[in-house]
PDB file of all heavy atoms in Angstrom:
ATOM      1  N   HIS A 152      -6.837   8.471  -1.142  1.00  0.00           N
ATOM      2  CA  HIS A 152      -7.302   7.342  -0.407  1.00  0.00           C
ATOM      3  C   HIS A 152      -6.769   6.076  -1.158  1.00  0.00           C
ATOM      4  O   HIS A 152      -7.097   5.769  -2.281  1.00  0.00           O
ATOM      5  CB  HIS A 152      -8.844   7.357  -0.414  1.00  0.00           C
ATOM      6  CG  HIS A 152      -9.417   6.090   0.134  1.00  0.00           C
ATOM      7  ND1 HIS A 152      -9.202   5.736   1.497  1.00  0.00           N
ATOM      8  CD2 HIS A 152     -10.243   5.153  -0.334  1.00  0.00           C
ATOM      9  CE1 HIS A 152      -9.801   4.569   1.724  1.00  0.00           C
ATOM     10  NE2 HIS A 152     -10.507   4.240   0.581  1.00  0.00           N
ATOM     11  N   VAL A 153      -5.856   5.291  -0.385  1.00  0.00           N
ATOM     12  CA  VAL A 153      -5.181   4.247  -0.990  1.00  0.00           C
ATOM     13  C   VAL A 153      -6.116   2.986  -0.810  1.00  0.00           C
ATOM     14  O   VAL A 153      -6.327   2.477   0.347  1.00  0.00           O
ATOM     15  CB  VAL A 153      -3.816   3.936  -0.382  1.00  0.00           C
ATOM     16  CG1 VAL A 153      -3.214   2.757  -0.916  1.00  0.00           C
ATOM     17  CG2 VAL A 153      -2.975   5.217  -0.578  1.00  0.00           C
ATOM     18  N   SER A 154      -6.588   2.358  -1.854  1.00  0.00           N
ATOM     19  CA  SER A 154      -7.521   1.222  -1.730  1.00  0.00           C
ATOM     20  C   SER A 154      -6.946   0.099  -2.576  1.00  0.00           C
ATOM     21  O   SER A 154      -5.915   0.048  -2.938  1.00  0.00           O
ATOM     22  CB  SER A 154      -8.960   1.673  -2.121  1.00  0.00           C
ATOM     23  OG  SER A 154      -9.756   0.601  -1.683  1.00  0.00           O
ATOM     24  N   THR A 155      -7.890  -0.955  -2.724  1.00  0.00           N
ATOM     25  CA  THR A 155      -7.449  -2.218  -3.149  1.00  0.00           C
ATOM     26  C   THR A 155      -8.393  -2.633  -4.456  1.00  0.00           C
ATOM     27  O   THR A 155      -9.486  -2.271  -4.557  1.00  0.00           O
ATOM     28  CB  THR A 155      -7.664  -3.194  -2.051  1.00  0.00           C
ATOM     29  OG1 THR A 155      -7.529  -4.518  -2.557  1.00  0.00           O
ATOM     30  CG2 THR A 155      -9.121  -3.108  -1.360  1.00  0.00           C
ATOM     31  N   ASP A 156      -7.777  -3.616  -5.189  1.00  0.00           N
ATOM     32  CA  ASP A 156      -8.636  -4.176  -6.325  1.00  0.00           C
ATOM     33  C   ASP A 156      -9.578  -5.159  -5.749  1.00  0.00           C
ATOM     34  O   ASP A 156     -10.526  -5.554  -6.495  1.00  0.00           O
ATOM     35  CB  ASP A 156      -7.643  -4.864  -7.319  1.00  0.00           C
ATOM     36  CG  ASP A 156      -6.821  -5.915  -6.747  1.00  0.00           C
ATOM     37  OD1 ASP A 156      -6.866  -6.245  -5.517  1.00  0.00           O
ATOM     38  OD2 ASP A 156      -6.078  -6.599  -7.421  1.00  0.00           O
ATOM     39  N   GLU A 157      -9.507  -5.568  -4.433  1.00  0.00           N
ATOM     40  CA  GLU A 157     -10.472  -6.515  -3.936  1.00  0.00           C
ATOM     41  C   GLU A 157     -11.893  -5.918  -3.901  1.00  0.00           C
ATOM     42  O   GLU A 157     -12.892  -6.754  -3.737  1.00  0.00           O
ATOM     43  CB  GLU A 157     -10.011  -7.013  -2.520  1.00  0.00           C
ATOM     44  CG  GLU A 157      -8.688  -7.625  -2.554  1.00  0.00           C
ATOM     45  CD  GLU A 157      -8.339  -8.520  -1.306  1.00  0.00           C
ATOM     46  OE1 GLU A 157      -9.390  -8.861  -0.645  1.00  0.00           O
ATOM     47  OE2 GLU A 157      -7.251  -8.897  -1.200  1.00  0.00           O
ATOM     48  N   VAL A 158     -12.104  -4.698  -3.990  1.00  0.00           N
ATOM     49  CA  VAL A 158     -13.444  -4.103  -3.933  1.00  0.00           C
ATOM     50  C   VAL A 158     -14.225  -4.637  -5.152  1.00  0.00           C
ATOM     51  O   VAL A 158     -15.511  -4.580  -5.224  1.00  0.00           O
ATOM     52  CB  VAL A 158     -13.423  -2.640  -3.927  1.00  0.00           C
ATOM     53  CG1 VAL A 158     -12.828  -2.083  -2.738  1.00  0.00           C
ATOM     54  CG2 VAL A 158     -12.782  -2.024  -5.148  1.00  0.00           C
ATOM     55  N   TYR A 159     -13.569  -5.002  -6.269  1.00  0.00           N
ATOM     56  CA  TYR A 159     -14.221  -5.462  -7.472  1.00  0.00           C
ATOM     57  C   TYR A 159     -14.760  -6.932  -7.462  1.00  0.00           C
ATOM     58  O   TYR A 159     -15.320  -7.345  -8.426  1.00  0.00           O
ATOM     59  CB  TYR A 159     -13.299  -5.298  -8.739  1.00  0.00           C
ATOM     60  CG  TYR A 159     -12.884  -3.863  -8.942  1.00  0.00           C
ATOM     61  CD1 TYR A 159     -11.537  -3.577  -8.956  1.00  0.00           C
ATOM     62  CD2 TYR A 159     -13.800  -2.831  -9.287  1.00  0.00           C
ATOM     63  CE1 TYR A 159     -11.057  -2.163  -9.230  1.00  0.00           C
ATOM     64  CE2 TYR A 159     -13.335  -1.501  -9.525  1.00  0.00           C
ATOM     65  CZ  TYR A 159     -11.983  -1.172  -9.456  1.00  0.00           C
ATOM     66  OH  TYR A 159     -11.586  -0.068  -9.770  1.00  0.00           O
ATOM     67  N   GLY A 160     -14.361  -7.681  -6.375  1.00  0.00           N
ATOM     68  CA  GLY A 160     -14.725  -8.990  -6.289  1.00  0.00           C
ATOM     69  C   GLY A 160     -13.757  -9.969  -7.102  1.00  0.00           C
ATOM     70  O   GLY A 160     -12.590  -9.706  -7.029  1.00  0.00           O
ATOM     71  N   SER A 161     -14.298 -11.003  -7.537  1.00  0.00           N
ATOM     72  CA  SER A 161     -13.519 -12.150  -8.137  1.00  0.00           C
ATOM     73  C   SER A 161     -13.699 -12.216  -9.639  1.00  0.00           C
ATOM     74  O   SER A 161     -14.905 -12.166 -10.059  1.00  0.00           O
ATOM     75  CB  SER A 161     -13.824 -13.408  -7.453  1.00  0.00           C
ATOM     76  OG  SER A 161     -13.021 -14.406  -7.843  1.00  0.00           O
ATOM     77  N   LEU A 162     -12.736 -12.428 -10.444  1.00  0.00           N
ATOM     78  CA  LEU A 162     -12.787 -12.622 -11.784  1.00  0.00           C
ATOM     79  C   LEU A 162     -12.864 -14.105 -12.233  1.00  0.00           C
ATOM     80  O   LEU A 162     -12.266 -14.919 -11.625  1.00  0.00           O
ATOM     81  CB  LEU A 162     -11.513 -12.109 -12.616  1.00  0.00           C
ATOM     82  CG  LEU A 162     -11.418 -10.485 -12.530  1.00  0.00           C
ATOM     83  CD1 LEU A 162      -9.997 -10.196 -12.974  1.00  0.00           C
ATOM     84  CD2 LEU A 162     -12.450  -9.882 -13.422  1.00  0.00           C
ATOM     85  N   LYS A 163     -13.601 -14.456 -13.301  1.00  0.00           N
ATOM     86  CA  LYS A 163     -13.650 -15.780 -13.887  1.00  0.00           C
ATOM     87  C   LYS A 163     -12.459 -15.826 -14.853  1.00  0.00           C
ATOM     88  O   LYS A 163     -11.909 -14.793 -15.215  1.00  0.00           O
ATOM     89  CB  LYS A 163     -14.890 -16.041 -14.624  1.00  0.00           C
ATOM     90  CG  LYS A 163     -16.140 -16.046 -13.706  1.00  0.00           C
ATOM     91  CD  LYS A 163     -17.365 -16.736 -14.369  1.00  0.00           C
ATOM     92  CE  LYS A 163     -18.476 -16.826 -13.358  1.00  0.00           C
ATOM     93  NZ  LYS A 163     -18.858 -15.565 -12.889  1.00  0.00           N
ATOM     94  N   PRO A 164     -11.969 -17.030 -15.302  1.00  0.00           N
ATOM     95  CA  PRO A 164     -10.774 -17.216 -16.098  1.00  0.00           C
ATOM     96  C   PRO A 164     -10.786 -16.319 -17.286  1.00  0.00           C
ATOM     97  O   PRO A 164      -9.719 -15.758 -17.645  1.00  0.00           O
ATOM     98  CB  PRO A 164     -10.714 -18.665 -16.389  1.00  0.00           C
ATOM     99  CG  PRO A 164     -11.502 -19.368 -15.324  1.00  0.00           C
ATOM    100  CD  PRO A 164     -12.555 -18.440 -14.911  1.00  0.00           C
ATOM    101  N   ASP A 165     -11.913 -16.165 -17.974  1.00  0.00           N
ATOM    102  CA  ASP A 165     -11.896 -15.467 -19.316  1.00  0.00           C
ATOM    103  C   ASP A 165     -12.420 -13.964 -19.027  1.00  0.00           C
ATOM    104  O   ASP A 165     -12.517 -13.278 -20.111  1.00  0.00           O
ATOM    105  CB  ASP A 165     -12.862 -16.118 -20.314  1.00  0.00           C
ATOM    106  CG  ASP A 165     -12.246 -17.520 -20.574  1.00  0.00           C
ATOM    107  OD1 ASP A 165     -11.080 -17.670 -20.686  1.00  0.00           O
ATOM    108  OD2 ASP A 165     -13.018 -18.477 -20.914  1.00  0.00           O
TER     109      ASP A 165
END
Side-chain angles (χ1 to χ4, degrees):
H152 176 60
V153 179
S154 191
T155 169
D156 59 357
E157 300 203 10
V158 297
Y159 298 121
S161 185
L162 292 168
K163 296 196 173 61
D165 295 329

